[in-house]
């Protein structure tokens, strides 16, 4: 058994999970909902094993490093963290249905990684040969994943709000009736960002500490650094908006989606469109 | 002070205290920061030549080529600082009073503001009940403050009141980080130096300065080496450095290997492996050439592109060299060169020679058999030199920020009040965060009270 086979199983399982979540939305059948999130967790376990196996394989071929060193590995890890954060939020707040808007992000990541990215285990370039790699990448991606979950919840918020506005009835029927109330969604959005913001903060700080250790400067306004700060500013604005009248609800949801768009640009856009110190993430 | 002046001062104060300003500044900083990631900072000549003169003029006028140090970006940062100081100054005394002088009396007014309340009938006189409830609170929650008013007892207990200060810790941490950055920019520097193998220097070049800066001590590069993986990607860039004071090696700072991710620090100045390149005139390559029919081998020394005469009227020229041939010839390893061999008669030939396989060239079956003895290649090492006395202040600020965020996000100020009057116990509670979890706790508490 190879990690690559297990990653394929993971991708398929997330696909099944997503379809079950859509069926859950349409059918409102509790069993289907349970099957949907069980599939997601099964995929998560398989993926965990696969990541561990890839780590071992890297030692077997003599490179010996954590599977966090290139774009393929980071996308796989990102989708793993998305399911992890979704699991935490589902476990704590019992709103299974948000999986319908979160699992697709994880599936998208896995599908892209498996179909579009080169999956070879490469040796570590000198710049990455440090334990800071682990701390920096793990905290950043957990943060990104929390923002992905917040974005999924915010999309649900906007959909739900629009329908409630259109029918003028909080008890609107159909698929969307399955959604938690907009008040709950607004609160969950905030909760997800409360998980993501400290992690992003630690991610930026560990990045700065590493940069200082490797290059002698903790901040050099490199595009990646700057974009991570942009993301930080957006979510800091979100957190302050929470305690300002008129910024709860719709505007908060939009800010959360904008924040995640900036996160994705920070993660992928900077490497694809801009040049800088993080070029090994290509 | 006239009223209009007072009005102005007040509205200025209100402006700087407002959360709307904070949100606008944060979003403004986020939006403007994008500019510097799209327009190259301190751009190279090629970029400047690729855009129009009008654009250059506009961009320089707006400070876009060094955007993060432009007056308007710094101004935004200062405004943010003033904003968060003003917000804190305005709100902190109130919060402090709230913590240090909590509401001890559980009157009807307070009861109406609480969403979690409960009332029981209980046996026993007020004083006994008071003792019982105080012990209960101490066991289940926190030690209460007891106040007696007109024969009624009011108990107040709280947990983690200081969690309300978390957000101010974060604000303070940002100021600490800014102070650290300012210390670094006033008392520190970033510089760069190239040191050829076997030589030493005490002069480094600070960023943006033409004239060298004397460190007051010298650094010698004993050796520089680069190694590669099988795939041909670099594995390690390593410089062996020795620190010299008055020309003498400093004990403990001799032959220190530095690689990327492992710098050398001496007297608060840190040297980071940054780049490398060929030093001086470049390498000298050593060969032997022997006639296939026998005879003594001829020693040849050549620089790259140099046309070297060989016995019998032939010539050779070194075209290219590598430290590791594996990326090009996966079956082999070690240093290799490619030479052009011009026989006295006939076509020029391209010949590959491998240092670690001296018999390799025999297979060619040529008149002359070459072996490659290796190169005397000298490198320079490029070192980033940095001094930043403010960096510890920055780390202190960062730690404070993480601490503050955790306090602000994950600790909840929980408060409980008990009122004992007319054989009834009234309980009320509230939490600053995670009300549902507190409600579970509160419900559990009232269940226990019912059973008492």
């Amino acid at each position: 058994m190879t990690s690559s086979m297990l990653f394929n199983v993971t991708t398929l399982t997330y696909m099944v999970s997503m379809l079950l979540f859509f069926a859950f939305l349409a059918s409102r059948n509790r069993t289907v909902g349970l099957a949907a999130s069980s599939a997601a967790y099964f995929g998560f376990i398989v993926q965990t094993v696969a990541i561990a196996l890839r780590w071992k394989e890297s030692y077997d071929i003599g490179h010996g490093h954590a599977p966090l060193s290139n774009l393929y590995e980071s996308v796989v890890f990102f989708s793993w963290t998305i399911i992890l954060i979704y699991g935490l939020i589902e476990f704590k707040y019992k709103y299974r249905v948000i999986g319908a808007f979160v699992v697709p992000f994880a599936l998208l990541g896995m599908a892209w990684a498996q179909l579009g990215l080169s999956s070879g285990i490469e040796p570590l370039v000198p710049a990455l040969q440090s334990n800071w790699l682990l701390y920096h990448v793990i905290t950043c991606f957990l943060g990104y994943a929390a923002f992905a979950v917040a974005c999924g919840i915010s999309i649900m918020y906007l959909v739900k709000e629009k329908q409630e506005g259109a029918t003028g009835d909080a008890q609107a029927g159909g698929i969307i009736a399955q959604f938690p109330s907009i008040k709950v969604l607004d609160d969950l959005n905030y909760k997800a960002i409360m998980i993501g913001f400290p992690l992003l903060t630690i991610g930026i700080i560990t990045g700065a500490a590493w940069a200082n250790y490797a290059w002698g400067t903790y901040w050099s306004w490199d595009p990646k650094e700057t974009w991570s700060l942009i993301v930080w500013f957006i979510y800091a604005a979100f957190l302050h908006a929470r305690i300002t009248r008129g910024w709860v609800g719709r505007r908060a949801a939009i800010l959360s989606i904008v924040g995640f768009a900036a996160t994705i640009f920070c993660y992928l856009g900077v490497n694809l469109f801009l040049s800088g110190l993080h070029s090994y993430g290509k | 002070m006239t009223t209009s002046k007072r009005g102005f001062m007040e509205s200025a104060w209100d402006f700087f205290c407002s959360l709307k300003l904070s949100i606008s500044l944060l979003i403004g900083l986020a939006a403007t920061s994008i500019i510097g990631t799209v327009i190259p900072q301190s751009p190279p000549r090629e970029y400047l030549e690729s855009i129009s003169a009008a654009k250059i003029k506009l961009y320089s006028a707006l400070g876009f080529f060094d955007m993060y140090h432009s007056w308007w970006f710094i101004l935004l940062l200062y405004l943010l600082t003033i904003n968060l100081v003003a917000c804190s100054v305005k709100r902190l005394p109130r919060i402090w009073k709230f913590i240090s002088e909590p509401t001890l009396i559980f009157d009807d007014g307070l009861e109406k503001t609480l969403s979690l309340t409960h009332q029981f009938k209980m046996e026993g006189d007020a004083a006994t009940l008071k003792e019982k409830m105080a012990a209960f609170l101490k066991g289940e929650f926190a030690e209460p403050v007891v106040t007696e008013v007109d024969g009624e007892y009011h108990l107040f207990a709280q947990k983690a009141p200081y969690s309300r200060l978390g957000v101010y810790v974060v604000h303070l941490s940002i100021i600490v980080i800014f102070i650290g950055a300012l210390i670094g920019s006033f008392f520190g520097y970033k510089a760069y130096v190239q040191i050829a193998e076997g030589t030493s220097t005490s002069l480094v070049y600070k960023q943006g300065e033409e004239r060298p800066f004397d460190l007051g001590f010298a650094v010698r590069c004993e050796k520089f080496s680069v190694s590669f993986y099988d795939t041909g990607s670099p594995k390690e860039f390593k410089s062996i450095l020795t620190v010299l004071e008055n020309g003498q090696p400093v004990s403990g700072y001799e032959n220190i290997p530095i690689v990327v991710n492992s710098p050398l620090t001496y007297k608060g100045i840190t040297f980071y492996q940054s780049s490398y390149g060929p030093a001086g005139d470049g390498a000298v390559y050593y060969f032997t050439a022997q006639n296939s029919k026998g005879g003594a081998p001829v020693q040849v020394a050549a620089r790259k592109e140099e046309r070297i005469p060989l016995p019998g009227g032939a010539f050779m020229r070194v075209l290219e060299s590598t430290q590791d041939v594996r990326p090009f010839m996966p079956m082999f390893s070690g240093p290799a060169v490619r030479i052009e061999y011009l026989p006295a008669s006939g076509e020029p030939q391209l010949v590959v020679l491998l240092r670690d396989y001296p018999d390799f060239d025999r297979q060619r079956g040529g008149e002359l058999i070459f072996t490659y003895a290796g190169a005397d290649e000298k490198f320079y090492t490029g070192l980033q030199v940095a001094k930043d006395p403010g960096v510890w202040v920055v780390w202190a600020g960062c730690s404070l920020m993480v601490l503050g965020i955790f306090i602000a996000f994950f600790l909840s100020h929980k408060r409980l009040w008990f009122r004992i009057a007319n054989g009834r116990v009234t309980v009320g509670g509230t939490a600053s965060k995670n009300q549902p979890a507190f409600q579970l706790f509160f419900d559990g508490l009232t269940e226990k009270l019912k059973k008492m």
Side-chain angles (χ1 to χ4, degrees), chain A residues 124 127 129 210 212-213 216 218 221 226-227 274, chain B residues 37 68 190 229 234-235 261 263 272 388 394 409:
Chain A
L124 224 44
Q129 291 165 8
W210 187 10
N212 186 60
Y213 185 63
Y218 54 84
W221 295 103
T226 307
W227 271 95
L274 308 171
Chain B
T37 68
Y68 304 105
K190 306 265 182 290
Y229 291 108
K235 183 179 186 179
N261 275 311
Y272 302 85
D388 189 350
V394 172
F409 281 18

PDB file of all heavy atoms in Angstrom, chain A residues 124 127 129 210 212-213 216 218 221 226-227 274, chain B residues 37 68 190 229 234-235 261 263 272 388 394 409:
ATOM      1  N   LEU A 124      14.625  18.212   0.650  1.00  0.00           N
ATOM      2  CA  LEU A 124      14.389  19.550   1.176  1.00  0.00           C
ATOM      3  C   LEU A 124      15.498  20.520   0.750  1.00  0.00           C
ATOM      4  O   LEU A 124      16.674  20.238   0.967  1.00  0.00           O
ATOM      5  CB  LEU A 124      14.370  19.439   2.704  1.00  0.00           C
ATOM      6  CG  LEU A 124      13.308  20.155   3.503  1.00  0.00           C
ATOM      7  CD1 LEU A 124      11.939  20.004   2.888  1.00  0.00           C
ATOM      8  CD2 LEU A 124      13.305  19.635   4.921  1.00  0.00           C
ATOM      9  N   ALA A 127      16.884  26.188   2.358  1.00  0.00           N
ATOM     10  CA  ALA A 127      16.091  27.177   3.082  1.00  0.00           C
ATOM     11  C   ALA A 127      15.042  26.534   3.992  1.00  0.00           C
ATOM     12  O   ALA A 127      14.637  27.113   4.990  1.00  0.00           O
ATOM     13  CB  ALA A 127      15.410  28.117   2.093  1.00  0.00           C
ATOM     14  N   GLN A 129      15.355  23.562   5.566  1.00  0.00           N
ATOM     15  CA  GLN A 129      15.894  22.581   6.510  1.00  0.00           C
ATOM     16  C   GLN A 129      15.910  23.135   7.926  1.00  0.00           C
ATOM     17  O   GLN A 129      16.946  23.533   8.445  1.00  0.00           O
ATOM     18  CB  GLN A 129      17.312  22.167   6.087  1.00  0.00           C
ATOM     19  CG  GLN A 129      17.334  21.360   4.804  1.00  0.00           C
ATOM     20  CD  GLN A 129      18.721  21.270   4.216  1.00  0.00           C
ATOM     21  OE1 GLN A 129      19.700  21.677   4.835  1.00  0.00           O
ATOM     22  NE2 GLN A 129      18.833  20.749   3.004  1.00  0.00           N
ATOM     23  N   TRP A 210      11.369  32.500  12.144  1.00  0.00           N
ATOM     24  CA  TRP A 210      12.174  31.683  11.238  1.00  0.00           C
ATOM     25  C   TRP A 210      12.973  32.565  10.273  1.00  0.00           C
ATOM     26  O   TRP A 210      14.173  32.350  10.058  1.00  0.00           O
ATOM     27  CB  TRP A 210      11.256  30.712  10.485  1.00  0.00           C
ATOM     28  CG  TRP A 210      11.960  29.712   9.650  1.00  0.00           C
ATOM     29  CD1 TRP A 210      13.308  29.456   9.631  1.00  0.00           C
ATOM     30  CD2 TRP A 210      11.372  28.822   8.705  1.00  0.00           C
ATOM     31  NE1 TRP A 210      13.576  28.458   8.734  1.00  0.00           N
ATOM     32  CE2 TRP A 210      12.408  28.049   8.158  1.00  0.00           C
ATOM     33  CE3 TRP A 210      10.050  28.595   8.279  1.00  0.00           C
ATOM     34  CZ2 TRP A 210      12.169  27.070   7.190  1.00  0.00           C
ATOM     35  CZ3 TRP A 210       9.818  27.629   7.328  1.00  0.00           C
ATOM     36  CH2 TRP A 210      10.868  26.875   6.795  1.00  0.00           C
ATOM     37  N   ASN A 212      13.921  35.529  10.722  1.00  0.00           N
ATOM     38  CA  ASN A 212      14.998  36.185  11.464  1.00  0.00           C
ATOM     39  C   ASN A 212      16.165  35.227  11.689  1.00  0.00           C
ATOM     40  O   ASN A 212      17.329  35.618  11.618  1.00  0.00           O
ATOM     41  CB  ASN A 212      14.464  36.678  12.806  1.00  0.00           C
ATOM     42  CG  ASN A 212      15.486  37.502  13.553  1.00  0.00           C
ATOM     43  OD1 ASN A 212      15.926  38.529  13.046  1.00  0.00           O
ATOM     44  ND2 ASN A 212      15.879  37.045  14.717  1.00  0.00           N
ATOM     45  N   TYR A 213      15.821  33.976  11.925  1.00  0.00           N
ATOM     46  CA  TYR A 213      16.845  32.980  12.200  1.00  0.00           C
ATOM     47  C   TYR A 213      17.617  32.595  10.937  1.00  0.00           C
ATOM     48  O   TYR A 213      18.817  32.357  10.979  1.00  0.00           O
ATOM     49  CB  TYR A 213      16.180  31.749  12.824  1.00  0.00           C
ATOM     50  CG  TYR A 213      17.149  30.688  13.265  1.00  0.00           C
ATOM     51  CD1 TYR A 213      18.079  30.962  14.266  1.00  0.00           C
ATOM     52  CD2 TYR A 213      17.161  29.439  12.677  1.00  0.00           C
ATOM     53  CE1 TYR A 213      18.976  30.005  14.668  1.00  0.00           C
ATOM     54  CE2 TYR A 213      18.053  28.478  13.078  1.00  0.00           C
ATOM     55  CZ  TYR A 213      18.968  28.761  14.068  1.00  0.00           C
ATOM     56  OH  TYR A 213      19.867  27.823  14.459  1.00  0.00           O
ATOM     57  N   GLY A 216      18.086  36.777   8.945  1.00  0.00           N
ATOM     58  CA  GLY A 216      18.500  37.939   9.714  1.00  0.00           C
ATOM     59  C   GLY A 216      17.543  39.105   9.665  1.00  0.00           C
ATOM     60  O   GLY A 216      17.887  40.216  10.034  1.00  0.00           O
ATOM     61  N   TYR A 218      13.256  39.797  10.484  1.00  0.00           N
ATOM     62  CA  TYR A 218      11.982  39.157  10.807  1.00  0.00           C
ATOM     63  C   TYR A 218      10.855  39.660   9.931  1.00  0.00           C
ATOM     64  O   TYR A 218       9.795  39.052   9.867  1.00  0.00           O
ATOM     65  CB  TYR A 218      11.637  39.328  12.294  1.00  0.00           C
ATOM     66  CG  TYR A 218      11.650  40.763  12.779  1.00  0.00           C
ATOM     67  CD1 TYR A 218      10.555  41.581  12.616  1.00  0.00           C
ATOM     68  CD2 TYR A 218      12.787  41.293  13.394  1.00  0.00           C
ATOM     69  CE1 TYR A 218      10.564  42.888  13.042  1.00  0.00           C
ATOM     70  CE2 TYR A 218      12.809  42.595  13.830  1.00  0.00           C
ATOM     71  CZ  TYR A 218      11.698  43.393  13.650  1.00  0.00           C
ATOM     72  OH  TYR A 218      11.728  44.691  14.069  1.00  0.00           O
ATOM     73  N   TRP A 221       8.726  42.762   4.192  1.00  0.00           N
ATOM     74  CA  TRP A 221       7.660  43.150   3.257  1.00  0.00           C
ATOM     75  C   TRP A 221       7.730  42.349   1.965  1.00  0.00           C
ATOM     76  O   TRP A 221       7.451  42.842   0.887  1.00  0.00           O
ATOM     77  CB  TRP A 221       7.692  44.658   2.963  1.00  0.00           C
ATOM     78  CG  TRP A 221       7.395  45.486   4.174  1.00  0.00           C
ATOM     79  CD1 TRP A 221       8.291  46.166   4.931  1.00  0.00           C
ATOM     80  CD2 TRP A 221       6.115  45.700   4.792  1.00  0.00           C
ATOM     81  NE1 TRP A 221       7.653  46.794   5.987  1.00  0.00           N
ATOM     82  CE2 TRP A 221       6.319  46.529   5.918  1.00  0.00           C
ATOM     83  CE3 TRP A 221       4.807  45.282   4.523  1.00  0.00           C
ATOM     84  CZ2 TRP A 221       5.287  46.927   6.758  1.00  0.00           C
ATOM     85  CZ3 TRP A 221       3.787  45.705   5.368  1.00  0.00           C
ATOM     86  CH2 TRP A 221       4.029  46.509   6.463  1.00  0.00           C
ATOM     87  N   THR A 226       3.532  40.180   3.340  1.00  0.00           N
ATOM     88  CA  THR A 226       2.584  41.278   3.257  1.00  0.00           C
ATOM     89  C   THR A 226       1.156  40.751   3.134  1.00  0.00           C
ATOM     90  O   THR A 226       0.249  41.233   3.817  1.00  0.00           O
ATOM     91  CB  THR A 226       2.921  42.170   2.056  1.00  0.00           C
ATOM     92  OG1 THR A 226       4.285  42.548   2.145  1.00  0.00           O
ATOM     93  CG2 THR A 226       2.062  43.404   2.042  1.00  0.00           C
ATOM     94  N   TRP A 227       0.980  39.724   2.291  1.00  0.00           N
ATOM     95  CA  TRP A 227      -0.378  39.185   2.141  1.00  0.00           C
ATOM     96  C   TRP A 227      -0.876  38.531   3.420  1.00  0.00           C
ATOM     97  O   TRP A 227      -2.059  38.606   3.734  1.00  0.00           O
ATOM     98  CB  TRP A 227      -0.456  38.224   0.952  1.00  0.00           C
ATOM     99  CG  TRP A 227      -0.788  38.983  -0.290  1.00  0.00           C
ATOM    100  CD1 TRP A 227       0.082  39.465  -1.219  1.00  0.00           C
ATOM    101  CD2 TRP A 227      -2.098  39.419  -0.701  1.00  0.00           C
ATOM    102  NE1 TRP A 227      -0.588  40.166  -2.186  1.00  0.00           N
ATOM    103  CE2 TRP A 227      -1.925  40.153  -1.894  1.00  0.00           C
ATOM    104  CE3 TRP A 227      -3.383  39.268  -0.177  1.00  0.00           C
ATOM    105  CZ2 TRP A 227      -3.004  40.723  -2.571  1.00  0.00           C
ATOM    106  CZ3 TRP A 227      -4.450  39.843  -0.852  1.00  0.00           C
ATOM    107  CH2 TRP A 227      -4.264  40.561  -2.039  1.00  0.00           C
ATOM    108  N   LEU A 274       3.133  36.355  -8.069  1.00  0.00           N
ATOM    109  CA  LEU A 274       4.139  37.299  -7.593  1.00  0.00           C
ATOM    110  C   LEU A 274       5.412  36.535  -7.276  1.00  0.00           C
ATOM    111  O   LEU A 274       5.379  35.330  -7.048  1.00  0.00           O
ATOM    112  CB  LEU A 274       3.642  38.028  -6.342  1.00  0.00           C
ATOM    113  CG  LEU A 274       2.267  38.701  -6.443  1.00  0.00           C
ATOM    114  CD1 LEU A 274       1.818  39.193  -5.087  1.00  0.00           C
ATOM    115  CD2 LEU A 274       2.305  39.851  -7.421  1.00  0.00           C
TER     116      LEU A 274
ATOM    117  N   THR B  37       2.879  44.755  -3.154  1.00  0.00           N
ATOM    118  CA  THR B  37       3.124  43.373  -3.566  1.00  0.00           C
ATOM    119  C   THR B  37       3.008  43.233  -5.081  1.00  0.00           C
ATOM    120  O   THR B  37       3.427  42.236  -5.642  1.00  0.00           O
ATOM    121  CB  THR B  37       2.139  42.385  -2.891  1.00  0.00           C
ATOM    122  OG1 THR B  37       0.826  42.611  -3.396  1.00  0.00           O
ATOM    123  CG2 THR B  37       2.150  42.530  -1.396  1.00  0.00           C
ATOM    124  N   TYR B  68       6.147  50.703   1.755  1.00  0.00           N
ATOM    125  CA  TYR B  68       5.934  50.431   3.181  1.00  0.00           C
ATOM    126  C   TYR B  68       6.701  51.410   4.069  1.00  0.00           C
ATOM    127  O   TYR B  68       6.564  51.394   5.273  1.00  0.00           O
ATOM    128  CB  TYR B  68       6.282  48.970   3.488  1.00  0.00           C
ATOM    129  CG  TYR B  68       5.490  48.027   2.621  1.00  0.00           C
ATOM    130  CD1 TYR B  68       6.084  47.361   1.552  1.00  0.00           C
ATOM    131  CD2 TYR B  68       4.123  47.860   2.829  1.00  0.00           C
ATOM    132  CE1 TYR B  68       5.334  46.528   0.726  1.00  0.00           C
ATOM    133  CE2 TYR B  68       3.374  47.039   2.009  1.00  0.00           C
ATOM    134  CZ  TYR B  68       3.990  46.370   0.959  1.00  0.00           C
ATOM    135  OH  TYR B  68       3.246  45.565   0.146  1.00  0.00           O
ATOM    136  N   LYS B 190      21.230  46.362   8.413  1.00  0.00           N
ATOM    137  CA  LYS B 190      21.350  45.171   7.576  1.00  0.00           C
ATOM    138  C   LYS B 190      22.462  45.457   6.577  1.00  0.00           C
ATOM    139  O   LYS B 190      22.506  46.537   6.024  1.00  0.00           O
ATOM    140  CB  LYS B 190      20.066  44.916   6.797  1.00  0.00           C
ATOM    141  CG  LYS B 190      18.822  44.836   7.648  1.00  0.00           C
ATOM    142  CD  LYS B 190      18.490  43.414   7.991  1.00  0.00           C
ATOM    143  CE  LYS B 190      17.216  43.327   8.798  1.00  0.00           C
ATOM    144  NZ  LYS B 190      17.361  43.863  10.169  1.00  0.00           N
ATOM    145  N   TYR B 229      21.822  17.080  -3.997  1.00  0.00           N
ATOM    146  CA  TYR B 229      21.104  15.807  -3.922  1.00  0.00           C
ATOM    147  C   TYR B 229      21.261  15.056  -5.250  1.00  0.00           C
ATOM    148  O   TYR B 229      21.680  15.640  -6.255  1.00  0.00           O
ATOM    149  CB  TYR B 229      19.609  16.047  -3.704  1.00  0.00           C
ATOM    150  CG  TYR B 229      19.243  16.594  -2.354  1.00  0.00           C
ATOM    151  CD1 TYR B 229      18.818  17.909  -2.208  1.00  0.00           C
ATOM    152  CD2 TYR B 229      19.279  15.788  -1.228  1.00  0.00           C
ATOM    153  CE1 TYR B 229      18.451  18.412  -0.970  1.00  0.00           C
ATOM    154  CE2 TYR B 229      18.906  16.279   0.010  1.00  0.00           C
ATOM    155  CZ  TYR B 229      18.493  17.587   0.138  1.00  0.00           C
ATOM    156  OH  TYR B 229      18.130  18.073   1.352  1.00  0.00           O
ATOM    157  N   PRO B 234      20.077  21.725  -4.851  1.00  0.00           N
ATOM    158  CA  PRO B 234      21.089  21.955  -3.825  1.00  0.00           C
ATOM    159  C   PRO B 234      20.681  21.377  -2.470  1.00  0.00           C
ATOM    160  O   PRO B 234      19.513  21.397  -2.100  1.00  0.00           O
ATOM    161  CB  PRO B 234      21.191  23.469  -3.751  1.00  0.00           C
ATOM    162  CG  PRO B 234      19.944  23.970  -4.354  1.00  0.00           C
ATOM    163  CD  PRO B 234      19.489  22.957  -5.352  1.00  0.00           C
ATOM    164  N   LYS B 235      21.672  20.826  -1.772  1.00  0.00           N
ATOM    165  CA  LYS B 235      21.413  20.217  -0.477  1.00  0.00           C
ATOM    166  C   LYS B 235      21.901  21.118   0.646  1.00  0.00           C
ATOM    167  O   LYS B 235      21.243  21.290   1.657  1.00  0.00           O
ATOM    168  CB  LYS B 235      22.140  18.882  -0.409  1.00  0.00           C
ATOM    169  CG  LYS B 235      21.914  18.092   0.848  1.00  0.00           C
ATOM    170  CD  LYS B 235      22.666  16.775   0.767  1.00  0.00           C
ATOM    171  CE  LYS B 235      22.351  15.882   1.950  1.00  0.00           C
ATOM    172  NZ  LYS B 235      23.062  14.609   1.838  1.00  0.00           N
ATOM    173  N   ASN B 261      19.865  28.600   7.719  1.00  0.00           N
ATOM    174  CA  ASN B 261      19.165  28.135   8.919  1.00  0.00           C
ATOM    175  C   ASN B 261      20.083  27.855  10.101  1.00  0.00           C
ATOM    176  O   ASN B 261      19.661  27.275  11.088  1.00  0.00           O
ATOM    177  CB  ASN B 261      18.311  26.887   8.653  1.00  0.00           C
ATOM    178  CG  ASN B 261      16.947  27.242   8.115  1.00  0.00           C
ATOM    179  OD1 ASN B 261      16.281  28.091   8.679  1.00  0.00           O
ATOM    180  ND2 ASN B 261      16.564  26.633   7.028  1.00  0.00           N
ATOM    181  N   PRO B 263      23.016  30.404  11.546  1.00  0.00           N
ATOM    182  CA  PRO B 263      23.952  31.519  11.398  1.00  0.00           C
ATOM    183  C   PRO B 263      24.996  31.577  12.510  1.00  0.00           C
ATOM    184  O   PRO B 263      24.989  30.746  13.415  1.00  0.00           O
ATOM    185  CB  PRO B 263      23.029  32.734  11.474  1.00  0.00           C
ATOM    186  CG  PRO B 263      21.890  32.301  12.339  1.00  0.00           C
ATOM    187  CD  PRO B 263      21.742  30.819  12.149  1.00  0.00           C
ATOM    188  N   TYR B 272      24.650  35.490   8.135  1.00  0.00           N
ATOM    189  CA  TYR B 272      23.758  34.479   7.555  1.00  0.00           C
ATOM    190  C   TYR B 272      24.256  34.076   6.179  1.00  0.00           C
ATOM    191  O   TYR B 272      24.603  34.938   5.363  1.00  0.00           O
ATOM    192  CB  TYR B 272      22.353  35.038   7.400  1.00  0.00           C
ATOM    193  CG  TYR B 272      21.746  35.528   8.689  1.00  0.00           C
ATOM    194  CD1 TYR B 272      21.999  36.825   9.148  1.00  0.00           C
ATOM    195  CD2 TYR B 272      20.935  34.714   9.448  1.00  0.00           C
ATOM    196  CE1 TYR B 272      21.451  37.285  10.331  1.00  0.00           C
ATOM    197  CE2 TYR B 272      20.380  35.159  10.627  1.00  0.00           C
ATOM    198  CZ  TYR B 272      20.646  36.441  11.070  1.00  0.00           C
ATOM    199  OH  TYR B 272      20.096  36.888  12.237  1.00  0.00           O
ATOM    200  N   ASP B 388      20.391  43.785  15.149  1.00  0.00           N
ATOM    201  CA  ASP B 388      19.075  44.306  15.495  1.00  0.00           C
ATOM    202  C   ASP B 388      18.846  44.199  16.995  1.00  0.00           C
ATOM    203  O   ASP B 388      18.343  43.197  17.495  1.00  0.00           O
ATOM    204  CB  ASP B 388      17.987  43.551  14.719  1.00  0.00           C
ATOM    205  CG  ASP B 388      16.633  44.222  14.902  1.00  0.00           C
ATOM    206  OD1 ASP B 388      16.520  45.125  15.752  1.00  0.00           O
ATOM    207  OD2 ASP B 388      15.692  43.845  14.178  1.00  0.00           O
ATOM    208  N   VAL B 394      10.686  42.950  19.982  1.00  0.00           N
ATOM    209  CA  VAL B 394       9.663  42.457  19.061  1.00  0.00           C
ATOM    210  C   VAL B 394       9.136  41.100  19.526  1.00  0.00           C
ATOM    211  O   VAL B 394       7.924  40.865  19.549  1.00  0.00           O
ATOM    212  CB  VAL B 394      10.224  42.360  17.625  1.00  0.00           C
ATOM    213  CG1 VAL B 394       9.243  41.658  16.704  1.00  0.00           C
ATOM    214  CG2 VAL B 394      10.550  43.743  17.093  1.00  0.00           C
ATOM    215  N   PHE B 409      -9.822  35.709  23.812  1.00  0.00           N
ATOM    216  CA  PHE B 409     -10.708  34.834  23.049  1.00  0.00           C
ATOM    217  C   PHE B 409     -11.252  33.677  23.871  1.00  0.00           C
ATOM    218  O   PHE B 409     -12.352  33.219  23.644  1.00  0.00           O
ATOM    219  CB  PHE B 409      -9.966  34.240  21.840  1.00  0.00           C
ATOM    220  CG  PHE B 409      -9.853  35.182  20.685  1.00  0.00           C
ATOM    221  CD1 PHE B 409     -10.043  36.542  20.848  1.00  0.00           C
ATOM    222  CD2 PHE B 409      -9.563  34.708  19.416  1.00  0.00           C
ATOM    223  CE1 PHE B 409      -9.935  37.413  19.796  1.00  0.00           C
ATOM    224  CE2 PHE B 409      -9.449  35.569  18.342  1.00  0.00           C
ATOM    225  CZ  PHE B 409      -9.636  36.927  18.537  1.00  0.00           C
TER     226      PHE B 409
END
